[in-house]
Amino acid sequence: MYRFLLTPRWWGINVFVVLAIPFCLFMGTWQLGKFEERVDTHQEAKREPAPGERGAVPLEELLPVDKKTSGRPAEATGVYGEQFRVPDRSVKGERGDYVLTLLRTDGGKTLPVVRGWVAKGAPAPAPPAGEVTVTGWLQASENMGTDGVHTAGGLPAGQLGMISAASLVNLVPDDVHDAWITLTEADGSMRAVPAAVAEGNGLDMKAFQNLGYTGEWFVFAAFVLFMWFRLVRREAEAVRDRELGLEPEPV
């Protein structure tokens, strides 16, 4: 009765099932692993002090920026240079500008420093003269997906749409750190800009998406197996009916 499974048509179906089920199981297991990885990272982060509660350390000890060093207090010494405004940024629900000043550090590279936030149109205080030591929360360079960045171009001179080494490479001749800091205490009359939380340190929506995808892949595997059994059963019943002479006559 089941000799039909050896026909070319059924060979194609069988090969598809044999390949599809392991693939679905592999993808489901991979997504489950990603979810467990995020859970482990979350548990590890809970056991450690919050980044902002740690003492400041020299900038070089925290580079390159990663999930563990993002938000950590960093110290850098140098001399302030060019200053930019980063427009249309929000602090405590109010829109205004970040005041970003480049710090030429003793290490020879330049560090973008957000000295504070000012209301739109308000003057930005000049940076202190001479050598200074600054303390701020370390942040990773912004990218196209960062909230608030301006990527359309056309900004006036002296304004910067995105805080990153890539956006500064054509504006300053210096070698710029692929990171920036926001001062823990804003200069002058400006308002301090809080540090952004590093992505991927907690059980965010991406973690639960991984868990949802896990279930979907396992369901796909079960569905493929169910449909194969259903097709086999229907074909076997058709073969049996033909052997008993019960095949309906063509209209």
Side-chain angles (χ1 to χ4, degrees):
M1 182 181 299
Y2 293 97
R3 287 195 299 270
F4 63 85
L5 292 173
L6 301 178
T7 61
R9 171 173 171 268
W10 274 95
W11 265 109
I13 295 174
N14 295 336
V15 169
F16 171 78
V17 171
V18 168
L19 295 177
I21 292 178
F23 176 77
C24 291
L25 294 177
F26 169 77
M27 292 301 297
T29 303
W30 180 75
Q31 289 288 351
L32 181 61
K34 297 296 289 184
F35 172 74
E36 292 175 344
E37 180 182 326
R38 291 180 182 274
V39 172
D40 292 340
T41 301
H42 175 66
Q43 294 298 331
E44 182 180 349
K46 287 177 64 177
R47 290 191 293 267
E48 295 181 355
E53 296 176 357
R54 300 184 179 187
V57 298
L59 173 69
E60 289 73 16
E61 296 182 16
L62 300 176
L63 297 176
V65 186
D66 56 23
K67 294 177 182 178
K68 291 185 177 180
T69 61
S70 180
R72 291 275 301 273
E75 285 184 346
T77 301
V79 178
Y80 279 125
E82 291 90 339
Q83 183 160 285
F84 300 89
R85 293 177 77 111
V86 186
D88 200 27
R89 296 302 179 100
S90 176
V91 171
K92 294 183 179 179
E94 297 182 42
R95 308 299 292 186
D97 302 337
Y98 290 172
V99 177
L100 183 145
T101 311
L102 300 182
L103 182 75
R104 294 184 176 88
T105 65
D106 292 345
K109 296 185 73 172
T110 294
L111 176 68
V113 177
V114 173
R115 296 173 45 236
W117 174 95
V118 295
K120 189 174 183 62
E131 187 174 79
V132 295
T133 297
V134 297
T135 301
W137 292 297
L138 183 64
Q139 301 283 266
S141 289
E142 296 181 336
N143 54 59
M144 300 284 285
T146 304
D147 185 36
V149 301
H150 188 283
T151 59
L155 290 175
Q159 293 193 11
L160 191 67
M162 181 168 60
I163 308 174
S164 70
S167 63
L168 287 163
V169 67
N170 295 322
L171 299 178
V172 295
D174 308 320
D175 189 9
V176 181
H177 279 293
D178 190 22
W180 57 285
I181 66 171
T182 172
L183 297 186
T184 53
E185 295 184 5
D187 284 344
S189 59
M190 294 183 288
R191 184 183 300 175
V193 175
V197 178
E199 296 183 358
N201 274 337
L203 294 180
D204 53 13
M205 287 302 298
K206 290 184 179 179
F208 292 103
Q209 283 179 351
N210 291 135
L211 189 59
Y213 293 150
T214 299
E216 288 181 2
W217 282 113
F218 288 153
V219 168
F220 289 158
F223 179 74
V224 170
L225 188 60
F226 166 76
M227 290 302 298
W228 182 83
F229 274 115
R230 184 175 180 182
L231 290 173
V232 168
R233 181 178 178 182
R234 187 172 66 180
E235 187 76 11
E237 290 175 350
V239 171
R240 183 184 60 190
D241 289 345
R242 284 195 295 270
E243 290 176 351
L244 295 175
L246 300 177
E247 186 175 2
E249 297 181 357
V251 178

